[in-house]
Amino acid sequence: MSRVAAICAALLVATQAAAAPSEQPVSALALVIGNNAAPLGDAGKTLAALRYADDDAVRYAEFFEQFTVKTVLLAVLDRQTQARYPQRARQSQPPTRAALRRTLRQFASEAKRLRAAGQRVVFYFAYSGHGARDRQGRAFLALHDGRLTREQLYRRVLALIPADVAHVFVDACYAASIVGARKLFDRETSARTVALSGVERRALLDAASLARLPHVGAIVATTGTQEAHEWSQIESGVFTHELLSGLRGAADVNADGVIEYSEVQAFIAAANRQVADPRAKSRVVAHPPAIDQRAPVIRLDTLRQARRLRGKLATLGRFFIERDNGQRLIEAHLNGPYQSTLVLPATGTLFLRTPKREYVIASAAALIDFDALVGRARSSDSRGAIDYALHGALFAAPFGPAYYQGHVDSVGGASVAFPPEAKPPASRPTAARQPVAPSTDGAADWAIFPFVVSGLEPSVGQVFRRLLGSEISTQFKHKVTQIQGAPCATERCAVADRRPAERLLFGRIDRLGKKLIVAVVARLSSGPPRQLRATVDTVDDLEEIAQRIVVALRTNKPLESTAELGTITAYETRKPRRRQGSLGALLRFGVFVPLGSGYAGPAGVGAGVDLALGYEAQRFAIESRVGFRSDAVSGADKYRSVPIDVGASWFLSRGPVSPFVGAGVGLRLAWEQRENRTVVGSVLPSYSSSVLDDFAVGFGGYGRLGVMFFRTWTAHLLVVIDYDAMYASLNGRRFHQGLSASLGVGF
């Protein structure tokens, strides 16, 4: 199929999908690729093999098989994974280019057959493994014997399958800095792998490619430091674990049985909210299909051969569910008024564990009531050493309607619908905070006023002050009151409000061109007001700025010194602008006057010409010069000089008339001819003369005064006076000096 034909077919599919009736039966196909191996060629020379990409692929395949008509797994399972899933080793195929082409042909044929039968086709593509770039900078995903480039992903995979909707999940990473590994003793350790950078992610799943396939949505892993992670505690990539936890029902924030892109993105954001180490803090880029921003990623009622655990799971706090073989299935920290439903495998004993209690799920019933489970105290954690940041903070923040609504507001996404009687509260709650005892007099420690917002939606200011309040509660452990009323950006209006709080916080957010200017004023209990100002590129950076503002208030440091990995904004990562300079040429003509007995002494005034190439900046200029000096008076005494040097000048002004001073050093090539007169006798003297020629190469230098006219123009005029000195032996004289005055033009 040609590229044009493939794209046209995909657009036709997307158009039909937009008009598809909701009651049309749905059939799903899933292609899963997992590749532990490093890329072939130069791109893989510095990369180590991954450990859990094959485990991720098996988990994807098991999940997809619960609701798809066909799931194909392309992965080479390592020894540990084969021991855990012996049947998968026989079912999977190596992730080669030939296997990929063969599978895609089968899927294309199957999708056409299903559509001809009146079915609506949904296609899932999941990849876990290495991502890298070739020498030309093109991003690709590593296969067992080759590469899957961005163009191939869209043109030969997504555009080839005539699906109504396609969902792409990518957890692609380098492995140059893995910490810990599966070794002979099977000891569990924590691991970190370096992932595709932001530029590479956009190259792989950029908006232009998605725009030409409007039926395709994508969910891609990243972190604050542009890294993705594996973790042996869950024997999986962190992103894959969080994604599958959400898709099994934990991300269903409004309990309607449908999980959308915004719910997945908010769920993963909540899961990583409390991870302090920026190197371990995962984030997710979620791009729903352009034809339907609220397209479901999964409908829970389509999962077959499954048990459903239902109940008020928000009472558990942080919990996880794992198999009897130790494979963790779901992890979450739920919060909200709804009954939650989690979809579990149909067979096998499962364990639901909280930090203090454990529940055994042994029933094979299709619907299991959580309230009917009997918990018991956990004696100890059976796991080995793990990374503290992930162990203590992953899924520490509760996920519920309030967090979801705040997250959607902050990213400008499309929200799911909530029942009117259970509408999320207007303010975003503090996630996993220690309770703060109220002041004895009922007054708050902090009062945060509505921010003045210019050039942006008012909701931006609302979300920003919620973030500030959340950070203050976390870092200061203080009580915070969000003031309702008119926006306030000055101390006068804040003080006039007479709020019973020790500390007041107010300010404004302004759009200036493409930048956002954030100005925050903190009126503390003592001392003058503290003013903090930051510039950011996007609204997304306001979360980092809120965290850093509170750090600056707590530590009394300047805002710029609070930057850490994970809180550096896009504006701060820009390359610094440098002053503009220009390259040019100079041509000068003038007169040269020897001083003293140098340069053939009586030869007198001469002429000179200079040709220079230079670089001119605002305050200085650097030039390399080649010149020529010669006597201009006829006679026996003559001289020639060729200065070759490098110098610099400093401008005293940046205006159209700019005086300057300068100096330079270099070589001098000099020739001199002198008439030598000899007197013979004293009574009747007689005279004889001879001509002395000499040539020498020596060192020299110059000092310079000058004025540049029309400096702000493309061509400019120069008046220059140089003092020139040369050290070279010519006819017995070693030191030669002179003055030159010249008029030049630069362009």
Side-chain angles (χ1 to χ4, degrees), residues 175-342:
S177 81
I178 291 181
V179 178
R182 283 179 171 174
K183 297 187 178 180
L184 294 178
F185 301 104
D186 213 16
R187 178 181 177 183
E188 295 201 3
T189 54
S190 300
R192 178 169 65 90
T193 60
V194 182
L196 290 173
S197 68
V199 174
E200 294 162 341
R201 271 197 334 275
R202 289 191 295 272
L204 189 62
L205 293 171
D206 63 7
S209 296
L210 290 174
R212 71 189 188 196
L213 297 178
H215 70 295
V216 176
I219 301 176
V220 182
T222 182
T223 67
T225 53
Q226 310 306 325
E227 298 175 353
H229 298 80
E230 291 183 321
W231 187 22
S232 64
Q233 173 73 6
I234 56 178
E235 294 191 345
S236 174
V238 174
F239 165 75
T240 298
H241 176 58
E242 293 170 342
L243 175 60
L244 289 176
S245 295
L247 295 183
R248 284 192 175 274
D252 189 11
V253 70
N254 58 350
D256 64 350
V258 178
I259 298 177
E260 301 179 12
Y261 276 80
S262 63
E263 291 177 291
V264 172
Q265 188 175 26
F267 175 78
I268 296 179
N272 294 277
R273 179 67 179 87
Q274 295 297 94
V275 177
D277 190 337
R279 298 169 300 173
K281 191 169 186 176
S282 296
R283 295 182 182 176
V284 62
V285 176
H287 193 296
I291 59 173
D292 185 1
Q293 295 290 313
R294 293 193 55 193
V297 183
I298 183 68
R299 295 181 182 273
L300 298 180
D301 59 3
T302 63
L303 273 73
R304 307 178 303 271
Q305 301 178 3
R307 289 173 287 180
R308 286 169 170 79
L309 176 64
R310 183 173 177 80
K312 197 68 181 344
L313 302 181
T315 61
L316 292 173
R318 178 181 175 184
F319 69 91
F320 63 87
I321 299 175
E322 65 180 8
R323 298 176 182 269
D324 53 4
N325 64 4
Q327 176 63 62
R328 194 170 295 192
L329 290 173
I330 300 174
E331 190 163 0
H333 186 170
L334 302 180
N335 181 25
Y338 307 111
Q339 294 277 326
S340 302
T341 301
L342 302 180

Side-chain angles (χ1 to χ4, degrees), residues 15-274:
T15 305
Q16 294 172 346
S22 58
E23 65 272 10
Q24 186 179 8
V26 177
S27 292
L29 304 170
L31 172 58
V32 181
I33 300 176
N35 185 27
N36 283 336
L40 299 177
D42 294 339
K45 288 182 178 179
T46 59
L47 301 179
L50 297 175
R51 300 170 299 160
Y52 301 125
D54 58 335
D55 297 83
D56 288 348
V58 171
R59 290 186 64 187
Y60 276 124
E62 284 195 332
F63 175 70
F64 289 142
E65 285 176 349
Q66 291 187 264
F67 63 92
T68 62
V69 296
K70 185 178 182 64
T71 295
V72 173
L73 172 63
L74 302 182
V76 176
L77 309 187
D78 60 21
R79 177 175 57 85
Q80 290 82 2
T81 306
Q82 289 189 36
R84 174 171 284 170
Y85 307 101
Q87 75 284 3
R88 293 292 173 185
R90 296 186 292 270
Q91 297 171 354
S92 63
Q93 307 173 49
T96 62
R97 291 177 292 181
L100 178 60
R101 289 193 297 267
R102 183 171 59 253
T103 302
L104 291 174
R105 287 195 297 268
Q106 295 172 359
F107 274 16
S109 177
E110 181 69 10
K112 292 177 183 178
R113 184 189 66 79
L114 292 170
R115 288 174 60 83
Q119 300 279 323
R120 188 167 185 265
V121 177
V122 179
F123 175 59
Y124 292 86
F125 176 86
Y127 177 89
S128 181
H130 271 296
R133 288 182 299 175
D134 58 19
R135 291 183 176 179
Q136 288 73 39
R138 295 172 297 191
F140 66 88
L141 303 177
L143 299 177
H144 192 69
D145 62 346
R147 303 173 177 180
L148 180 63
T149 65
R150 177 191 60 181
E151 283 299 313
Q152 291 169 345
L153 173 62
Y154 283 94
R155 182 162 52 90
R156 299 183 184 178
V157 178
L158 300 175
L160 182 64
I161 308 299
D164 295 271
V165 178
H167 304 289
V168 178
F169 308 144
V170 177
D171 191 357
C173 51
Y174 300 116
S177 81
I178 291 181
V179 178
R182 283 179 171 174
K183 297 187 178 180
L184 294 178
F185 301 104
D186 213 16
R187 178 181 177 183
E188 295 201 3
T189 54
S190 300
R192 178 169 65 90
T193 60
V194 182
L196 290 173
S197 68
V199 174
E200 294 162 341
R201 271 197 334 275
R202 289 191 295 272
L204 189 62
L205 293 171
D206 63 7
S209 296
L210 290 174
R212 71 189 188 196
L213 297 178
H215 70 295
V216 176
I219 301 176
V220 182
T222 182
T223 67
T225 53
Q226 310 306 325
E227 298 175 353
H229 298 80
E230 291 183 321
W231 187 22
S232 64
Q233 173 73 6
I234 56 178
E235 294 191 345
S236 174
V238 174
F239 165 75
T240 298
H241 176 58
E242 293 170 342
L243 175 60
L244 289 176
S245 295
L247 295 183
R248 284 192 175 274
D252 189 11
V253 70
N254 58 350
D256 64 350
V258 178
I259 298 177
E260 301 179 12
Y261 276 80
S262 63
E263 291 177 291
V264 172
Q265 188 175 26
F267 175 78
I268 296 179
N272 294 277
R273 179 67 179 87
Q274 295 297 94

Side-chain angles (χ1 to χ4, degrees), residues 557-613:
K557 292 180 178 180
L559 183 62
E560 56 269 17
S561 67
T562 61
E564 298 177 347
L565 290 177
T567 64
I568 299 174
T569 65
Y571 182 82
E572 292 172 309
T573 61
R574 288 183 179 179
K575 293 183 178 180
R577 293 182 178 179
R578 300 185 180 275
R579 292 178 174 178
Q580 293 293 324
S582 60
L583 295 173
L586 298 170
L587 185 61
R588 293 189 292 264
F589 296 92
V591 297
F592 180 75
V593 180
L595 299 177
S597 59
Y599 290 107
V605 176
V609 59
D610 290 331
L611 176 63
L613 296 177

Side-chain angles (χ1 to χ4, degrees), residues 599-658:
Y599 290 107
V605 176
V609 59
D610 290 331
L611 176 63
L613 296 177
Y615 172 83
E616 179 187 342
Q618 293 185 12
R619 281 294 187 185
F620 68 92
I622 300 173
E623 73 171 38
S624 59
R625 174 187 70 162
V626 176
F628 180 73
R629 307 283 185 267
S630 175
D631 61 277
V633 180
S634 61
D637 298 317
K638 300 180 182 298
Y639 63 86
R640 308 283 188 273
S641 175
V642 177
I644 303 173
D645 45 30
V646 176
S649 299
W650 181 261
F651 292 99
L652 305 180
S653 168
R654 290 184 292 183
V657 179
S658 298

Side-chain angles (χ1 to χ4, degrees), residues 337-489:
Y338 307 111
Q339 294 277 326
S340 302
T341 301
L342 302 180
V343 181
L344 310 174
T347 60
T349 301
L350 304 175
F351 298 89
L352 189 156
R353 290 180 171 134
T354 70
K356 295 183 178 180
R357 298 189 66 79
E358 179 180 77
Y359 302 82
V360 179
I361 305 174
S363 172
L367 182 61
I368 300 172
D369 186 359
F370 170 70
D371 294 334
L373 299 179
V374 179
R376 62 188 180 189
R378 292 184 63 183
S379 57
S380 63
D381 193 337
S382 60
R383 289 294 180 188
I386 54 177
D387 182 82
Y388 174 79
L390 292 175
H391 182 262
L394 197 65
F395 289 100
F399 174 70
Y403 186 96
Y404 169 81
Q405 192 65 57
H407 178 84
V408 170
D409 289 345
S410 68
V411 300
S415 173
V416 300
F418 288 90
E421 64 275 9
K423 196 171 183 179
S427 62
R428 171 176 158 186
T430 301
R433 313 298 190 204
Q434 295 295 329
V436 179
S439 302
T440 55
D441 59 357
D445 296 302
W446 290 79
I448 305 180
F449 289 82
F451 275 59
V452 174
V453 178
S454 175
L456 297 163
E457 292 293 329
S459 60
V460 173
Q462 298 170 10
V463 172
F464 182 62
R465 70 178 186 136
R466 292 177 199 161
L467 293 171
L468 287 172
S470 176
E471 292 296 338
I472 290 172
S473 297
T474 301
Q475 298 188 37
F476 283 96
K477 301 296 188 292
H478 287 173
K479 181 179 178 180
V480 178
T481 295
Q482 299 283 355
I483 305 301
Q484 304 300 321
C488 175

